[in-house]
Amino acid sequence: MKLLAVELAWRTSLTVAAFIVALVLGVLTDMPGKDVMWQVFYWYSIILIITATLTMNPSAFFNGKSVGNSIWREIQQLGKPKEDVSETKAGTKSEAERSKVGFWLLMPSAFITWIFAKSITNAAVLGGYYGVLGGVGYGGWYISFWSAALVGYYLRTRHGYRSLTSAVDKLYGPAASLCFGLALLFRLFNEVWSNTAVVASFFGEEYSTEWWWSIGLSTAVPCIYVIMGGMRSSLFSDVLQAFLGVLLLVSILGIVGTEMNGLSNLWSFKPPKASGDVGSGETTERGWLPGWWTLFLAGVLQGSTSYPFMDPVLTDRTFLSTPRTMLLSFAWGGAIAFTFITLFSAIGIYGCVRADAVKNGHPAYVAAELGGAAEVLIMLVMMTSSLSTLDSTFTSVGKLFGLEFGGWLKLPGDARKQRGPLRPSDEEHIGAAHITLARFFMVLVGIAGSFYLLADTEVLNATTVSGTVVMGLGPPVMLMLFWRYASSAGATDGWAQSPLAFLFSFWTGVVWGAFYQERKKTDALDGFELGEGAYELLLGVNVYGLISCIGACALGFVIDQLVTPLTPFARPRPSREASIEDPITGEHIWLDKDVDKGSAQPIYVPGEGGGITCSA
C-alpha cells in the first residue's frame, strides 16, 4: 500500500504537470507551421515520463536491475491484488539480477545513447562537404564501442574491477581519481548543451524565445524521468527510442529516395567544385571537398585510445550485464551505430542536391526545404537521439556525483571505514542520501549546461575539442590492463601505485587540447598539420599529442617505481582484487581459496595496497 500511495502521488503530480505544459505549448503553438512540431514533442515526452520506473533502490537506480515498477504498470495494477514488490537490498542476488540486463536491453541502449543529436547533425553537415565519405569520416569515432568494450571486459574478467573509476583510484591514487572525475564531468557537461542546441534549431532562430523554450524542455524531460528511475529508466527508454530511431531513418531515406528517383542517384551525386554560368557551355568540375580521410584517422585515433574513456555514458554500460553479453552488445551496437551515422549523411548530400553546390547540410535547413511530413520525421530523429543521449548523460551525472564523488563523503548508509569512490555494486553501502545527491546534481548540471549556450553553440566542438583535451586518458587506462600486482597485501613485489603516470599523461593532453581550442588566436601549433583539408591540424595535434602523452605516462611511471619509493612519499603496492567475473555467467571466481563464497561480495577499500576486503 505504501508503494501504491507513492505511485498515486506521482501520477497525480504528472497529470497536473501535463496540463501545465499543455497550456504552455498552447501559447507557443500560435506560430504558424510549428504547432505540429510542439505537439509531437509534448506527447512523446509524456509517454517517456509515464512509462518510466520510479525507484529508490540502488540496484535499479545505479545498476539498471529490474527491481522497480513503472508508473504505467502501477496504474494497470489498480484494483488488483498486488504481490509484494517491496524494494529490498539485493546484495545476495547480484549476478541473478544483473542478468536481467540482457542483450536486447543493453545492445539498443548502447547503440542509441551514442546516436547523439550532435553526432547525426555532424554527419549530415559533413555529408554536405564530403558526401557519404563525410559520414564515414565521422564514423571513425565509433571504434570507441569496441575499445571501451574490450577494456571493460578485461578489467572485469582479468582484474576483477566493477567500475573504471575504482580501477583508476586503486592503481593511480585519489589525485588521479579526482582528475578523472573532472574529465568525465567535462564530457557530460558538453553533452547537455550540444544536444539540446540541435533540437532547438528546429523550433526557432538562435536565442529566440522559442529556441530557449525548446532548450528548457529538451533538458527537463529526460532529467525528470531519469530522476525517477535512474539507470533503469534510461535503459527502458533507450529500447523504445532505438527502435523508433531506426524506423524514422528508414522513413526519411525512403522520402529522399523518392525525391531523387532512387537512393543510388543520391549516393552518386557530386556537386560542382567551382561556379560557372548555367547554360554558358562552361565545363565545371564536380566533386566533394578533399580530406575526409584525415577526419576519419583522427576519429579512429581518438576512439581507439582515449575518447571512450572520458564518456561514462559508454563506459558505465560496459559494467552492466555479464561480460560476454556486454561484449556482444557493444560489438553489434557499434556496428549499427556506425551504419546509422553513415546513412544519415544522406541528409547533407540532399541539401547539396537542392543547392547544386557544396554546402553546410544542417538537418534543420534540409528539413525546412523538404517540409511536410519529412520535416517532422527529421525533427523526431533529432529529438529521439537528443533525449536518449541526455537521459544517459543524467544517469552518468548521478553516478559520478552520487557514488564516485559522494563516496568521499560520510553519507548515511555508507558503513565503510575508508573514504573513496563507491561502485554501483557496493549496494550495501549506498543509501537514500546517495540517490538524493545524484538527483540534485542531475538538475544542477542540466541548468548549467543550458546556460553555457550563451557562450558556444558550435556542436562539432563538443567532439573534436573535448576529445583532444582528454587524449591523455588513453595511456594510463591501457597501462592498467598490464598491471603487475603485489602477491599479497603489504608485499613488496608488484608495481607501486603510480599517480604521476596518470597525472603527467592527463595534463600533457590538457595542454595540447587547450592550445587546439585556442588555435584561431595563436600560431603555437603551426607546423603540426598532418593529412589534408580542414582537419589536418586536428589529426596532427592528436598524433603528436598522443606520442607526448605516452612519453609523459612512461616518465611518471618510472619515477613512481624507482624514485618515489626512496622518499617519504612511497606509494602502496596494490594487490589483486579478491575475485574476477566469469565471462559467461558473471559469477564471482574467487582467487582466494579460503574466502567463504556463500554471500560474500568483494568490497573495494580505497587507498590501501591490498585494496580489497570481503564481507559476508
Side-chain angles (χ1 to χ4, degrees), residues 263-288:
L263 283 174
S264 59
N265 292 327
L266 180 76
W267 303 126
S268 61
F269 171 79
K270 293 182 179 181
K273 286 186 176 180
S275 59
D277 295 331
V278 178
S280 66
E282 179 182 343
T283 301
T284 303
E285 183 182 0
R286 305 183 75 88
W288 299 102

Side-chain angles (χ1 to χ4, degrees), residues 127-379:
Y129 293 137
Y130 304 104
V132 68
L133 293 178
V136 173
Y138 194 79
W141 273 274
Y142 283 75
I143 198 174
S144 296
F145 275 84
W146 292 279
S147 53
L150 288 172
V151 168
Y153 182 85
Y154 275 94
L155 288 179
R156 294 171 66 180
T157 61
R158 300 293 188 271
H159 299 266
Y161 293 111
R162 270 68 180 178
S163 78
L164 186 56
T165 301
S166 64
V168 170
D169 184 70
K170 180 175 181 178
L171 301 182
Y172 298 114
S177 178
L178 175 61
C179 289
F180 184 60
L182 293 176
L184 302 185
L185 179 59
F186 175 67
R187 165 67 171 187
L188 295 171
F189 178 80
N190 277 331
E191 288 308 303
V192 174
W193 68 264
S194 62
N195 282 281
T196 55
V198 171
V199 175
S201 65
F202 284 83
F203 291 91
E205 294 295 324
E206 204 169 275
Y207 300 126
S208 65
T209 301
E210 297 78 19
W211 188 84
W212 279 114
W213 269 109
S214 60
I215 290 289
L217 290 175
S218 58
T219 303
V221 169
C223 191
I224 288 172
Y225 67 78
V226 171
I227 281 176
M228 291 163 56
M231 178 67 82
R232 190 66 192 179
S233 291
S234 177
L235 290 173
F236 182 83
S237 64
D238 286 346
V239 174
L240 169 66
Q241 294 180 99
F243 173 78
L244 184 61
V246 172
L247 181 64
L248 291 170
L249 176 63
V250 171
S251 301
I252 292 168
L253 290 177
I255 293 174
V256 173
T258 301
E259 294 282 331
M260 292 292 297
N261 295 318
L263 283 174
S264 59
N265 292 327
L266 180 76
W267 303 126
S268 61
F269 171 79
K270 293 182 179 181
K273 286 186 176 180
S275 59
D277 295 331
V278 178
S280 66
E282 179 182 343
T283 301
T284 303
E285 183 182 0
R286 305 183 75 88
W288 299 102
L289 297 179
W292 72 271
W293 61 270
T294 303
L295 179 67
F296 177 75
L297 290 180
V300 169
L301 185 63
Q302 284 191 6
S304 59
T305 59
S306 61
Y307 195 81
F309 310 124
M310 69 137 175
D311 188 2
V313 167
L314 196 64
T315 56
D316 286 354
R317 283 163 170 74
T318 64
F319 291 88
L320 299 178
S321 191
T322 61
R324 182 73 58 84
T325 299
M326 180 277 295
L327 204 59
L328 291 174
S329 299
F330 271 66
W332 280 102
I336 296 171
F338 175 83
T339 303
F340 191 105
I341 286 294
T342 301
L343 291 177
F344 206 83
S345 62
I347 300 300
I349 299 172
Y350 184 72
C352 293
V353 171
R354 296 290 292 258
D356 196 32
V358 175
K359 62 172 290 183
N360 182 321
H362 195 289
Y365 306 149
V366 179
E369 291 181 1
L370 284 169
E375 183 177 16
V376 175
L377 289 175
I378 293 176
M379 185 276 292

Side-chain angles (χ1 to χ4, degrees), residues 463-479:
T463 298
T464 56
V465 174
S466 65
T468 301
V469 168
V470 298
M471 72 171 78
L473 290 179
V477 169
M478 295 302 177
L479 179 60

